[in-house]
Amino acid sequence: MEPEVPEAPKIVHLPTPEPLKAIYMTSWVAGTPYLRNRLIKLIDDTELNAIVIDIKDYSGRIVFPVKDPELIKTGAVEVRISDIESLITELHAKGIYVIGRVSAFQDAYFVKLHPELAVHRQSDNGVWKDRKGISWLEVGATPAWDHLVRIAKESYALGFDEINFDYIRFPSDGDMKDISYQYFDKKVETRAEVLKRFYSYLWLELKPLGIPISADLFGLTTSSLDDLGIGQVLVEAAPYFDYIAPMVYPSHFASGYIGLAKPATKPYEVVKDSMTKASARLLAASSTPAKLRPWLQDFDLGATYTAEMVRAQIQATYDSGLTSWMLWDPSNRYTPAALLP
C-alpha cells in the first residue's frame, strides 16, 4: 500500500469588507516580524480591517517564493517575505483582508531582462530613466502584460484576496523631450487607448478566476478632463476594475487647486472636492461611485500631518458619499490617534 500524500492546504479568500479601511506595508516590513507585528497590532486595536502589501515594487523583484516555472525562469524572485503563506493565514485568522500591490510598468528588473520592452531615449536609443533613475516598461509592450498577469495569478493562488495595480501609466517625471516608444504611435492611438487595452486584458485574464482587481490612479484624474499626459482617464478605467483608488494626497496638488494657496494644509477641502467630483463623473458614465476608495495621506509633505489632518481626510471621504479608504505612508509609520478604536 502506497503512503497517502497529504493534500495541500486549501486557500480561503476573505470577501472584500464594506467598508474597507486599509494601510500600506512594504515588502521589507512584511518580511521583518517585529516591524510587521507593530502594524498588525495597529489593525487589531483600531477600525482598520485590511492591509496592502507589496508583491512587486518599482525594483521589479517578486518578493516571495513562487511556483510558476515561467516566473522562476525570469530570476525576478528576491525573497523578502519568506513566510508569505503563513503570514496571510495569520492575517486571515484575524479577519484582515489582504491586498497585494503590483507596480506595473515601473520595473527596473524586467527592463534589464528585456530591454527591448523598455521606454527608450530618442537621442541614443538607450534605456530611458526617470528623475529617480528608474526605468520603465512600455505600456503597449504586451509581453510585459503576460508577466504581470502571471504574478497576479500566482499571488491570488497563494492567498492574497485582491490584486492592486499601481504605476499603470506612461512615465511623466524625467526628460520627456528625449523619450521614444516602440509600442506606441500617437498617430494610431492615444495613450488612453493603449491603457484601455491593458485594462481590458487584465479583466479578461483575471475576472474569470474570480480575482478582485483594483487600480491606483493619479489624484488629478478625479477632476481633469484629459489624460494628464500619462494615459489615465478615470471613467475609462472604471469599467475594468472592481475598485478604483485615486491617490488624492493633498500635498500632490499644485497651488491654486480649487483656489487654495497651499492644498497640503487643507486636507479636508482637497479630498472632499476630489472625491465628490470623482463620484459625479462615475455616475455620469453609468458606473458606480461605490468602487471608489481613495488613498489618503499619512506622511509629512507640504505640511506636518497631524492626527486631525489625517482624520479630516477620512471625514471628507464620508462627506463625499463614500465609505472606504486606504492610508499611505511610505515609511509605514501611521498615526494611531487618527483612527477610531
Side-chain angles (χ1 to χ4, degrees):
M1 176 183 258
E2 292 187 10
E4 289 186 14
V5 178
E7 289 186 18
K10 186 179 179 182
I11 298 297
V12 176
H13 294 283
L14 298 188
T16 309
E18 170 51 47
L20 179 137
K21 304 174 182 183
I23 52 172
Y24 160 70
M25 182 193 289
T26 70
S27 56
W28 295 109
V29 169
T32 309
Y34 82 92
L35 291 175
R36 77 187 185 203
N37 288 342
R38 174 171 53 83
L39 295 185
I40 293 170
K41 185 176 187 303
L42 179 66
I43 298 173
D44 282 341
D45 292 346
T46 67
E47 62 189 305
L48 296 168
N49 58 15
I51 195 159
V52 182
I53 302 173
D54 278 333
I55 290 170
K56 178 179 84 72
D57 60 17
Y58 69 91
S59 70
R61 307 312 291 261
I62 303 166
V63 301
F64 43 72
V66 297
K67 299 182 177 70
D68 183 326
E70 291 301 317
L71 291 179
I72 293 170
K73 193 188 300 182
T74 66
V77 173
E78 177 181 79
V79 178
R80 302 175 191 171
I81 315 172
S82 58
D83 60 344
I84 187 62
E85 292 179 75
S86 60
L87 172 59
I88 292 174
T89 299
E90 176 191 352
L91 294 169
H92 281 172
K94 293 173 172 288
I96 299 171
Y97 184 76
V98 186
I99 302 171
R101 175 178 173 266
V102 176
S103 173
F105 297 109
Q106 195 184 56
D107 189 321
Y109 182 83
F110 209 67
V111 163
K112 285 184 181 177
L113 201 64
H114 292 286
E116 74 279 6
L117 304 179
V119 175
H120 284 76
R121 291 191 297 268
Q122 190 172 22
S123 56
D124 60 4
N125 205 37
V127 172
W128 183 91
K129 295 184 179 181
D130 63 21
R131 287 196 184 95
K132 293 180 180 178
I134 300 169
S135 47
W136 288 67
L137 292 163
E138 279 214 38
V139 172
T142 52
W145 301 2
D146 297 334
H147 180 60
L148 294 169
V149 162
R150 284 187 177 278
I151 292 171
K153 290 177 177 177
E154 177 82 4
S155 302
Y156 189 71
L158 283 170
F160 282 91
D161 300 307
E162 176 183 321
I163 308 300
N164 168 253
F165 292 93
D166 199 358
Y167 286 94
I168 42 174
R169 63 179 180 87
F170 283 74
S172 61
D173 304 311
D175 186 356
M176 303 306 294
K177 293 179 181 177
D178 190 24
I179 200 167
S180 70
Y181 298 100
Q182 310 299 315
Y183 294 87
F184 167 61
D185 184 349
K186 63 182 178 182
K187 296 176 183 176
V188 177
E189 61 183 342
T190 66
R191 286 177 172 81
E193 286 168 340
V194 181
L195 270 172
K196 196 171 179 179
R197 285 196 288 113
F198 173 65
Y199 303 153
S200 176
Y201 180 81
L202 290 182
W203 183 263
L204 292 172
E205 288 287 326
L206 302 178
K207 287 314 295 177
L209 302 177
I211 304 176
I213 57 175
S214 55
D216 297 339
L217 300 182
F218 264 25
L220 276 173
T221 59
T222 60
S223 55
S224 178
L225 298 177
D226 59 25
D227 75 346
L228 302 169
I230 59 172
Q232 289 185 353
V233 179
L234 177 68
V235 296
E236 293 194 2
Y240 300 100
F241 294 94
D242 298 286
Y243 303 98
I244 298 289
M247 299 174 286
V248 289
Y249 314 129
S251 61
H252 286 37
F253 287 76
S255 177
Y257 179 76
I258 59 171
L260 299 174
K262 197 173 182 183
T265 64
K266 301 290 183 180
Y268 177 89
E269 289 82 354
V270 171
V271 174
K272 174 69 160 43
D273 180 79
S274 298
M275 299 317 299
T276 299
K277 286 175 178 172
S279 296
R281 295 185 77 177
L282 289 194
L283 276 173
S286 300
S287 189
T288 172
K291 64 173 55 186
L292 291 167
R293 56 181 190 212
W295 278 109
L296 306 177
Q297 179 169 343
D298 192 0
F299 55 90
D300 296 338
L301 185 64
T304 300
Y305 263 61
T306 63
E308 291 74 21
M309 293 172 81
V310 176
R311 193 71 208 176
Q313 295 171 86
I314 295 171
Q315 189 60 49
T317 302
Y318 297 152
D319 291 349
S320 61
L322 304 173
T323 60
S324 296
W325 42 266
M326 302 184 289
L327 294 182
W328 179 274
D329 176 14
S331 67
N332 294 180
R333 298 179 182 277
Y334 298 96
T335 310
L339 301 166
L340 300 179

